[in-house]
Amino acid sequence: MPVDIPSGAPAAIATPTAGDIRLARLSLNQWTTRHWSLPDLVAGLGRAGIGHVGLWREPVQAYGIAESAALVQRAGLHVSSLCRGGFLTGDDSVQAHADNVAAIEEAAELEADCLVLVVGGMDRADQPRLDVAEARKRVADRLAELVPVAHRHGVRLALEPLHPMYCADRAVLSTLGQAIDLAEPFPSEDVGVVVDTFHVWWDPDLERQIRRAGDRIASYQLAEWVLPLQQDVLLSRGMMGDGYADFASITRWVSDAGYDGPVEVEIFNEAVWQADPVEVVETVARRYVQHVQPSLS
Amino acid sequence: MPVDIPSGAPAAIATPTAGDIRLARLSLNQWTTRHWSLPDLVAGLGRAGIGHVGLWREPVQAYGIAESAALVQRAGLHVSSLCRGGFLTGDDSVQAHADNVAAIEEAAELEADCLVLVVGGMDRADQPRLDVAEARKRVADRLAELVPVAHRHGVRLALEPLHPMYCADRAVLSTLGQAIDLAEPFPSEDVGVVVDTFHVWWDPDLERQIRRAGDRIASYQLAEWVLPLQQDVLLSRGMMGDGYADFASITRWVSDAGYDGPVEVEIFNEAVWQADPVEVVETVARRYVQHVQPSLS
């Protein structure tokens, strides 16, 4: 698998072990080791000394919400995010709202730092697609309906800008600046934003927007921009250090903006998924200590 | 080939014929019908009543610069753009500069409205890649060396922001706003910007940046965002009306900003290239009259 130390990098980076203070803020998103069951994930994180986890609704639902919550709490794991709600651009606003309410309830039960929202794209079943401005208007309107529900449950919504190549089919929210604009009408503790390196690394306005985001930053996620893009571009997220993102600068900006929460590694990648999850977690920890952790303050 | 009228659209749009006033501003980029020789292209545009053409350096060089200039001028064709110079991020600044000077001379001889610049990515032969900030700094520095040369030749440089998915390997210039920032130190007649619908349609700041661009708009190019993305994402540009871009709004913004020049259709797409070029030109003209021309003022 293509997740080893790249040539040119210091060769002697040892895998950090449990108890290493440098891992204190590292979180692993569940989908990075998606073939692990929830108990295997929890055990694996324990062995590696990783204290935070990002969870996904589908495997949590399959295991049982209460059971999942009990499992992570018993292990002393802290849930850095629940992925995900959103999809606010569809035709059936009643169904979308109900599903988001369920996601909010799940996030509350898991005591997750935030519920990540992927806002949805422009296509609609059996109807002409929305133009991008209509779709964005719809996101704003439906977000406003969701915020009071989240507030009542003490759950923070986290708007995730996705790379512009997903604008048509996944998320019409394309830049961090746009996410902040969308969040601003609401209190920061109710609506935050996600900074995901894969989605935003290219943005010439990124430093300024991260500073502007300040205490709106609800989640800091890591994945690398690697080339070539995969046929399924959702699976193009690589391991830190294998590609083009400037993790040192982005991490410093996020720190300087005041973010002091978990730093969550979320990689969708067939080669990573095919690898031994224990090795994946080791590589994640090593690359994190090499490329990211030194820039945290 | 997937370039016919989509279902749901008015079925009875006739192909506009030569002399149709609605085609007065239409330009065809040579690469849209790339298998045509230059004489075939010139003849085909004449039959279709299209008076502007966007040319590419390689086929023009192959045919001969002076011969190409004579051919298009004899046919009464106006050259809306020459593609392309740029690639300013490489290691050998002497070679890049020399090649760009040659491109400027060619644009002058062809009396092209502008020389399109694709600024280059982050990779370097046999050396660690540049980080994105370094690469952008390099573009600004080398552009400054090029502007006096272009000015002496009476050639307008046109900075083209490319879709952020090309940031790593093709162009670290990713938004129209960033292109304007880069152009602003120079007179508008020396350095303009390209608005290409495929590259910028997703940008939540687009309307504002087009207004800000004003008389810096040196070229307005059309291609559609179609899904799925092709394995070679350079070839994902589709025919207007087959995808997601809002041509009516973008065209109105460009018009309102004062742009009254040619509107150039530039499609890289295997299905389009495999089709009969005569049919491609007919489809281009029909889609242009359907989706774009009514929004020009």
Side-chain angles (χ1 to χ4, degrees), chain B:
Chain B
M1 62 177 292
V3 292
D4 222 331
I5 301 290
S7 62
I13 303 271
T15 299
T17 50
D20 190 320
I21 186 72
R22 295 175 299 175
L23 299 184
R25 291 176 61 186
L26 178 59
S27 177
L28 186 77
N29 184 286
Q30 170 168 29
W31 219 247
T32 305
T33 53
R34 63 176 287 199
H35 296 305
W36 255 347
S37 69
L38 196 58
D40 285 346
L41 172 68
V42 169
L45 292 178
R47 283 192 306 273
I50 296 174
H52 313 273
V53 67
L55 295 175
W56 279 70
R57 292 184 68 199
E58 294 77 2
V60 163
Q61 288 168 351
Y63 192 77
I65 314 294
E67 293 77 4
S68 299
L71 183 68
V72 298
Q73 282 156 18
R74 222 165 30 230
L77 273 172
H78 163 242
V79 180
S80 51
S81 74
L82 178 65
C83 294
R84 60 197 184 205
F87 297 99
L88 303 171
T89 56
D91 288 322
D92 189 340
S93 73
V94 175
Q95 191 200 329
H97 187 78
D99 191 55
N100 279 309
V101 170
I104 287 167
E105 291 167 351
E106 292 161 21
E109 187 152 0
L110 294 163
E111 300 180 17
D113 284 352
C114 61
L115 173 67
V116 173
L117 299 185
V118 170
V119 303
M122 296 157 65
D123 283 317
R124 298 181 296 170
D126 305 324
Q127 289 205 50
R129 55 180 56 120
L130 296 167
D131 73 36
V132 68
E134 290 170 328
R136 286 170 172 162
K137 172 78 167 63
R138 204 174 261 215
V139 170
D141 292 347
R142 292 187 179 169
L143 176 65
E145 297 166 6
L146 218 50
V147 173
V149 182
H151 181 82
R152 275 199 301 279
H153 285 83
V155 168
R156 191 179 199 188
L157 303 175
L159 293 164
E160 179 161 25
L162 259 54
H163 192 284
M165 72 182 170
Y166 303 114
C167 183
D169 53 343
R170 309 287 298 174
V172 290
L173 184 51
S174 305
T175 64
L176 183 58
Q178 187 192 3
I180 301 169
D181 290 346
L182 199 52
E184 261 181 346
F186 309 102
S188 161
E189 59 270 26
D190 288 338
V191 185
V193 296
V194 180
V195 176
D196 181 312
T197 53
F198 176 85
H199 293 304
V200 302
W201 72 273
W202 59 270
D203 186 349
D205 205 24
L206 187 60
E207 180 177 5
R208 189 173 75 90
Q209 294 297 344
I210 287 176
R211 193 180 315 120
R212 182 180 159 225
D215 70 357
R216 295 245 174 220
I217 301 174
S219 173
Y220 179 38
Q221 295 187 329
L222 305 177
E224 176 67 286
W225 182 266
V226 288
L227 292 177
L229 292 172
Q230 298 301 296
Q231 180 79 56
D232 178 349
V233 289
L234 286 175
L235 307 188
S236 291
R237 299 169 66 96
M239 190 68 75
M240 300 80 75
D242 283 341
Y244 295 84
D246 181 354
F247 289 97
S249 296
I250 300 173
T251 300
R252 201 177 61 247
W253 299 336
V254 166
S255 269
D256 289 350
Y259 181 75
D260 58 4
V263 179
E264 183 178 314
V265 175
E266 184 188 54
I267 300 175
F268 313 152
N269 181 302
E270 273 299 340
V272 170
W273 289 339
Q274 295 310 315
D276 175 357
V278 172
E279 283 180 30
V280 169
V281 171
E282 288 176 1
T283 306
V284 162
R286 206 166 53 238
R287 295 294 184 87
Y288 170 77
V289 165
Q290 185 181 3
H291 295 287
V292 180
Q293 189 274 334
S295 301
L296 291 171
S297 56

